[in-house]
Amino acid sequence: MDDVIIIGGSFAGLAAALQLGRARRKVTVLDTGLQRNRFAGRSHGVLGHDDKPPSAILAEARQQLARYPAIKLVNARADSISGAIDNFSVLTGEGESIGARRVILSYGVVDQMPDVPGYAEGWGKSIIPCPYCDGFEVAGQHWGLVWSGPQSMNQVRLFHDWTDRLTVFADGHDVTSEIRADLAGRQVPLVDGRITEIAHRWGHSATVKLDTGPDVIVDILFAHPRTKPSASLHETLGLATVNTPTGIALKTDERRETSTPGIYAAGDLANPGIPSVTTAIWQGAMAGIFAQQSMIT
Ligand SMILES: Cc1cc2nc3c(=O)[nH]c(=O)nc-3n(C[C@H](O)[C@H](O)[C@H](O)COP(=O)(O)OP(=O)(O)OC[C@H]3O[C@@H](n4cnc5c(N)ncnc54)[C@H](O)[C@@H]3O)c2cc1C
């Protein structure tokens, strides 16, 4: 039996594995290789790894983990979890059953692309979610923001640090008169109407087509589609969740343990705040350490 099974072997999962492997705990990492930022050419803001392709950061991490004999990286999907603390059983897509005393869930979330032509094609290139990830590279350019609710006003305030040229797209949302006045005071145009198509040119330019009014061209478009966990294992287990502006996150305590004893969670799957590679690595490392500490006698 393993000490820990980690489900999801990207930034959070591999960080957990590193701590466990260094503590000489036997750990299996199951991963399907679809990390959230795979659509982006480069990853930013990760100390020591700034401006590298995300896949290169993960490849380097996997290479470093090969040093630890207690860590086994398996390219497989986890299909189900049963049992209880000290005796969990995880069934893989290949039908293999793996036993472990603890489980760490780090299977991330999926961005759900709206049914708008050009949206999915531009995701990670001319449509991006986060100014900390890619804002520096397009600072001073004409930014667009797809409104997703009152929380979008925080983005408007935030974006001033990167650009003075911002256009907001209401995209069918009912934007209140107070917000309209605030935007006008900041000289931020608000374009009403629903987005019907997004066309891309030169990789980093988006032409936003609307059901009312003329097209609007921006250099880069920020958007926050709804998210959903990449797997439903937490649902079957009945784990507690909290709402986030775009979906849900697993609820954990300060030791990253979920509502079920012995099951820990880390990374975007369990982050109701600002998702990032750095946060995922930190939460993963903590989940690994606390899972290990829970097994000492
Ligand atoms: C377009 C874009 C660009 C971004 N750019 C940046 C950036 O520049 N800097 C930054 O800090 N952050 C960036 N992010 C955010 C970053 O991608 C996430 O915060 C980070 O990937 C979260 O890591 P994670 O390990 O929690 O989840 P993920 O990286 O999403 O990994 C989850 C892993 O679990 C696997 N998995 C899913 N289901 C199963 C299952 N049932 N069994 C086994 N494995 C499974 C998946 O295949 C995947 O490998 C960006 C996000 C997007 C969408």
Side-chain angles (χ1 to χ4, degrees), residues 8 10-12 31-37 44 78 133 267-268 276-277:
S10 176
F11 303 102
D31 186 53
T32 48
L34 296 172
Q35 87 275 1
R36 188 178 182 186
N37 57 355
H44 299 107
C133 300
D268 287 7
S276 75
V277 170

Side-chain angles (χ1 to χ4, degrees), residues 20 25 102 255 264 288-297:
L20 287 157
R25 290 286 180 172
R102 303 287 182 272
R255 294 171 73 83
Y264 296 75
I289 286 171
F290 288 130
Q292 180 252 340
Q293 290 186 357
S294 74
M295 291 183 282
I296 57 178
T297 49

Side-chain angles (χ1 to χ4, degrees), residues 7-13 30-40 42-46 58 76-79 106-109 111 123-124 127-130 132-134 230-231 233 266-269 275-278 280:
I7 301 176
S10 176
F11 303 102
L30 300 176
D31 186 53
T32 48
L34 296 172
Q35 87 275 1
R36 188 178 182 186
N37 57 355
R38 66 191 180 280
F39 305 99
R42 327 271 313 169
S43 168
H44 299 107
V46 183
L58 288 170
R77 192 182 66 240
D79 271 353
S106 48
Y107 49 77
V109 301
D111 295 288
W123 183 242
I127 309 176
I128 57 176
C130 143
Y132 297 101
C133 300
D134 298 295
S230 299
L233 300 171
D268 287 7
L269 176 66
S276 75
V277 170
T278 303

Side-chain angles (χ1 to χ4, degrees), residues 213-286:
D215 299 351
V216 180
I217 299 175
V218 294
D219 294 314
I220 194 87
L221 190 61
F222 284 79
H224 305 94
R226 301 285 300 164
T227 61
K228 71 167 194 203
S230 299
S232 54
L233 300 171
H234 59 282
E235 282 175 19
T236 321
L237 292 162
L239 300 185
T241 59
V242 292
N243 290 327
T244 72
T246 58
I248 57 157
L250 299 196
K251 189 174 177 185
T252 66
D253 64 15
E254 65 284 356
R255 294 171 73 83
R256 304 229 59 84
E257 196 166 23
T258 66
S259 52
T260 292
I263 300 184
Y264 296 75
D268 287 7
L269 176 66
N271 180 0
I274 301 172
S276 75
V277 170
T278 303
T279 321
I281 291 172
W282 160 62
Q283 292 185 350
M286 290 301 110

Side-chain angles (χ1 to χ4, degrees), residues 5-297:
I5 293 183
I6 299 173
I7 301 176
S10 176
F11 303 102
L14 294 182
L18 178 58
Q19 300 302 329
L20 287 157
R22 289 186 58 76
R24 307 191 306 158
R25 290 286 180 172
K26 195 170 171 221
V27 47
T28 296
V29 184
L30 300 176
D31 186 53
T32 48
L34 296 172
Q35 87 275 1
R36 188 178 182 186
N37 57 355
R38 66 191 180 280
F39 305 99
R42 327 271 313 169
S43 168
H44 299 107
V46 183
L47 191 66
H49 293 289
D50 192 37
D51 200 29
K52 281 188 190 173
S55 55
I57 301 175
L58 288 170
E60 197 178 334
R62 281 192 288 267
Q63 205 174 21
Q64 290 177 357
L65 291 184
R67 237 184 113 208
Y68 300 97
I71 302 176
K72 191 171 165 198
L73 303 182
V74 181
N75 188 1
R77 192 182 66 240
D79 271 353
S80 68
I81 304 173
S82 55
I85 188 163
D86 284 327
N87 191 19
F88 290 107
S89 181
V90 175
L91 193 64
T92 72
E94 280 78 38
E96 190 188 354
S97 175
I98 307 169
R101 296 181 61 196
R102 303 287 182 272
V103 176
I104 296 177
L105 303 178
S106 48
Y107 49 77
V109 301
V110 177
D111 295 288
Q112 297 183 282
M113 297 294 106
D115 192 18
V116 172
Y119 199 115
E121 292 80 353
W123 183 242
K125 298 167 191 74
S126 43
I127 309 176
I128 57 176
C130 143
Y132 297 101
C133 300
D134 298 295
F136 182 85
E137 283 65 31
V138 288
Q141 297 185 17
H142 183 187
W143 291 17
L145 171 65
V146 182
W147 196 261
S148 54
Q151 71 277 2
S152 295
M153 198 59 215
N154 293 333
Q155 300 286 314
V156 172
R157 291 193 202 96
L158 201 60
F159 286 2
H160 285 306
D161 268 8
W162 283 274
T163 190
D164 293 329
R165 292 193 291 155
L166 173 64
T167 297
V168 169
F169 296 92
D171 196 25
H173 285 269
D174 191 12
V175 181
T176 64
S177 52
E178 289 81 15
I179 287 176
R180 285 172 185 272
D182 193 343
L183 291 173
R186 295 166 187 271
Q187 268 107 51
V188 172
L190 174 68
V191 178
D192 281 310
R194 203 172 270 281
I195 297 175
T196 55
E197 187 181 342
I198 303 171
H200 309 275
R201 289 183 299 167
W202 316 300
H204 276 281
S205 165
T207 301
V208 182
K209 296 177 183 289
L210 301 143
D211 61 353
T212 54
D215 299 351
V216 180
I217 299 175
V218 294
D219 294 314
I220 194 87
L221 190 61
F222 284 79
H224 305 94
R226 301 285 300 164
T227 61
K228 71 167 194 203
S230 299
S232 54
L233 300 171
H234 59 282
E235 282 175 19
T236 321
L237 292 162
L239 300 185
T241 59
V242 292
N243 290 327
T244 72
T246 58
I248 57 157
L250 299 196
K251 189 174 177 185
T252 66
D253 64 15
E254 65 284 356
R255 294 171 73 83
R256 304 229 59 84
E257 196 166 23
T258 66
S259 52
T260 292
I263 300 184
Y264 296 75
D268 287 7
L269 176 66
N271 180 0
I274 301 172
S276 75
V277 170
T278 303
T279 321
I281 291 172
W282 160 62
Q283 292 185 350
M286 290 301 110
I289 286 171
F290 288 130
Q292 180 252 340
Q293 290 186 357
S294 74
M295 291 183 282
I296 57 178
T297 49

